[in-house]
Amino acid sequence: MTKRRSLLSKITQLWLVNYVFLFIATSQFSFSFGFFERFIEWFGMAILGLEKVEKIHRTGSGDTLYDYVVIICCVIFSLIIAMAVSAIKRRKDNFDELYQFTIVIARYFVAYTMVVYGFAKVFEGQFASPGYFRLEQKVGDMSPMGLVWTFMGVSRSYTVVSGLLELTGGVLLFWRRTKTLGALFSMIVMLNVAFLNFFYDVPVKIFSSHIIFLCLFILSYDLKPLIDFFVFHRPTRLPYALYRPQKRWKLVTTRVIKYAFICGSIVLSCVQMWYTLKKERVPHEGAYLIDTFVLDGDSILQHRPETDTLGWSKILISSNHHFNYLDNAGNRKYLETKTDTLTKTISLYRNGKHAGGLVYSFQQDSATFTGRFEGRDIYIKSLRKQKKDYSLINRGFHWINDYPPNW
């Protein structure tokens, strides 16, 4: 019975080690190769019997059917490898050193993830202030994920604090003396993130859940002293030097790699966030609520909103390169633009082809657009709203609230 438990323990240990490496190599933000993608698609359809499995690129979702098939493959292959290695090296010692080394790898992977996401929140790379389309959208028409992004983006202070908490957890994981605190801290922070992902249908459920799993994996060697301290209130101490190379050249090499990784993570995050800080000046930004829309000299305001796709109801501008408008039926249309703020002209493009140009002018809170669009003369008179005109943005913080602002 003892040998069986020992063998089961060895297989479980190797299974976890293999799974950690496989997940890191195949996770949402890792590189992918054509051969691997084709294998996953084949495995999902031929072995799992799924109707269609394909790698979907550039949507930001990490919860595609393809991603779940990857996780299933990681579970199966890590178990097969663990059983094979255990059978081959049945009489050898256990794999404690490999397990400890894997904890180090998991530490740096989680630390890097926390630092990147932390910087993204601090420097508004994630959860930016809501744009005009979002501000003009009805709450009931938002997706749960859109609601979360709006909720977070409205308060820069809250988003910055969230980012600093993630940064703190990541930085603590970089050093062995603080790795346990870092894993506990990061796990608590990521639990909140995972709950938001699950309960608001944010498609990063797999990745956020695995960050929590990796935190637990990092804590696995500290589990007994943690239980002794927090549950049984016994005096205890945490193990310190779990994995430390004995040869000096290995020690120096690992330290060089460590500090290069830390510096590289911070520099890469700062470079990426630098571009988010270089915000372009958009003097004509705003939501323009159209009062008069004239096409080729004919006003088309008399058309019924639910059937009219020719007339426009709103123009939404947040950038010098993007132009959105809503027709009277509520359909959102997107155009690329080139804006000259000196001459106040907007060149419009649809799918890369020139579609026309508009000249804009302001009169206090109103604005007019004149020009040609898709071969037709166009004249628009509108009421301009800027972000300061929305209570969601301009409400701010108040110590005293005699009447709750829950309108």
Side-chain angles (χ1 to χ4, degrees):
M1 184 67 69
T2 305
K3 284 186 178 181
R4 186 175 299 174
R5 272 202 308 267
S6 177
L7 180 60
L8 180 62
S9 174
K10 186 184 295 186
I11 293 174
T12 303
Q13 191 179 49
L14 279 172
W15 188 10
L16 288 172
V17 167
N18 294 330
Y19 186 80
V20 169
F21 280 107
L22 286 174
F23 171 75
I24 291 175
T26 60
S27 65
Q28 180 179 354
F29 303 105
S30 301
F31 293 106
S32 186
F33 303 96
F35 171 79
F36 178 75
E37 291 178 11
R38 290 191 294 272
F39 173 79
I40 295 297
E41 292 168 358
W42 171 84
F43 187 90
M45 292 185 285
I47 306 300
L48 300 181
L50 299 173
E51 185 175 343
K52 185 178 181 181
V53 179
E54 62 176 331
K55 174 70 172 179
I56 301 175
H57 298 274
R58 294 185 293 276
T59 63
S61 174
D63 294 337
T64 66
L65 180 60
Y66 174 93
D67 294 304
Y68 281 100
V69 174
V70 170
I71 293 300
I72 292 173
C73 288
C74 288
V75 171
I76 294 173
F77 293 155
S78 58
L79 179 59
I80 292 173
I81 295 170
M83 295 176 68
V85 173
S86 298
I88 294 171
K89 298 190 174 183
R90 198 165 181 176
R91 298 181 180 179
K92 296 289 182 72
D93 295 335
N94 55 31
F95 299 92
D96 281 346
E97 187 172 343
L98 175 61
Y99 193 88
Q100 294 161 11
F101 174 74
T102 309
I103 288 177
V104 175
I105 299 300
R107 271 175 51 205
Y108 283 100
F109 181 78
V110 175
Y112 174 77
T113 301
M114 300 296 286
V115 167
V116 168
Y117 273 98
F119 270 111
K121 290 180 176 64
V122 170
F123 292 105
E124 208 172 357
Q126 188 183 26
F127 304 127
S129 177
Y132 288 101
F133 174 77
R134 187 69 74 191
L135 292 171
E136 287 292 317
Q137 189 179 14
K138 294 179 182 178
V139 174
D141 292 334
M142 292 182 183
S143 68
M145 178 179 174
L147 182 62
V148 170
W149 251 246
T150 305
F151 158 74
M152 293 292 293
V154 163
S155 174
R156 281 297 302 139
S157 301
Y158 183 81
T159 304
V160 168
V161 169
S162 300
L164 291 174
L165 291 174
E166 292 181 359
L167 273 171
T168 300
V171 171
L172 288 172
L173 280 168
F174 279 130
W175 283 272
R176 281 177 295 174
R177 291 184 183 275
T178 56
K179 68 174 179 60
T180 303
L181 178 60
L184 289 169
F185 197 96
S186 298
M187 183 173 65
I188 293 170
V189 171
M190 288 305 299
L191 274 171
N192 179 60
V193 174
F195 287 150
L196 286 173
N197 292 341
F198 274 93
F199 302 137
Y200 286 86
D201 198 30
V202 181
V204 201
K205 305 175 191 70
I206 291 175
F207 190 78
S208 58
S209 301
H210 276 74
I211 295 299
I212 296 172
F213 159 73
L214 290 176
C215 288
L216 290 170
F217 179 74
I218 295 166
L219 292 169
S220 58
Y221 254 83
D222 302 331
L223 194 59
K224 186 179 183 305
L226 286 173
I227 292 175
D228 285 341
F229 182 79
F230 286 108
V231 178
F232 298 109
H233 304 285
R234 297 170 181 164
T236 187
R237 62 183 299 176
L238 295 170
Y240 170 55
L242 287 178
Y243 179 77
R244 186 183 181 89
Q246 299 300 317
K247 296 183 178 180
R248 181 172 177 78
W249 71 268
K250 287 185 179 181
L251 181 62
V252 172
T253 302
T254 53
R255 285 185 176 177
V256 169
I257 293 174
K258 169 184 176 178
Y259 288 106
F261 181 83
I262 294 173
C263 294
S265 301
I266 296 174
V267 169
L268 179 61
S269 298
C270 290
V271 169
Q272 290 175 338
M273 293 310 108
W274 168 253
Y275 291 100
T276 66
L277 295 175
K278 294 173 61 178
K279 294 182 179 178
E280 59 180 350
R281 182 173 174 270
V282 190
H284 61 298
E285 72 169 0
Y288 298 88
L289 313 182
I290 296 175
D291 175 64
T292 304
F293 186 86
V294 180
L295 201 61
D296 283 340
D298 294 326
S299 173
I300 59 173
L301 288 177
Q302 68 272 18
H303 286 254
R304 294 177 60 193
E306 63 268 24
T307 60
D308 177 25
T309 58
L310 189 61
W312 297 4
S313 62
K314 293 177 184 178
I315 294 175
L316 309 171
I317 301 176
S318 300
S319 164
N320 289 323
H321 310 288
H322 304 99
F323 183 101
N324 295 274
Y325 69 88
L326 275 68
D327 61 27
N328 284 341
N331 301 309
R332 181 186 181 188
K333 304 295 179 64
Y334 168 79
L335 298 169
E336 303 93 23
T337 63
K338 291 181 180 179
T339 305
D340 188 334
T341 57
L342 294 178
T343 60
K344 296 184 178 179
T345 59
I346 304 174
S347 299
L348 304 174
Y349 300 86
R350 192 191 296 275
N351 300 323
K353 297 181 180 179
H354 188 262
L358 299 175
V359 177
Y360 61 89
S361 62
F362 301 129
Q363 303 86 32
Q364 293 184 346
D365 292 333
S366 64
T368 59
F369 297 84
T370 58
R372 289 182 65 80
F373 178 66
E374 295 185 336
R376 308 181 73 173
D377 293 327
I378 192 170
Y379 171 81
I380 299 170
K381 185 177 180 180
S382 62
L383 177 67
R384 184 190 186 194
K385 290 180 68 176
Q386 297 176 274
K387 288 192 176 181
K388 61 183 178 62
D389 299 318
Y390 295 90
S391 59
L392 187 65
I393 302 297
N394 64 29
R395 167 67 188 176
F397 172 82
H398 298 77
W399 283 107
I400 299 173
N401 285 287
D402 291 329
Y403 299 95
N406 59 355
W407 61 82

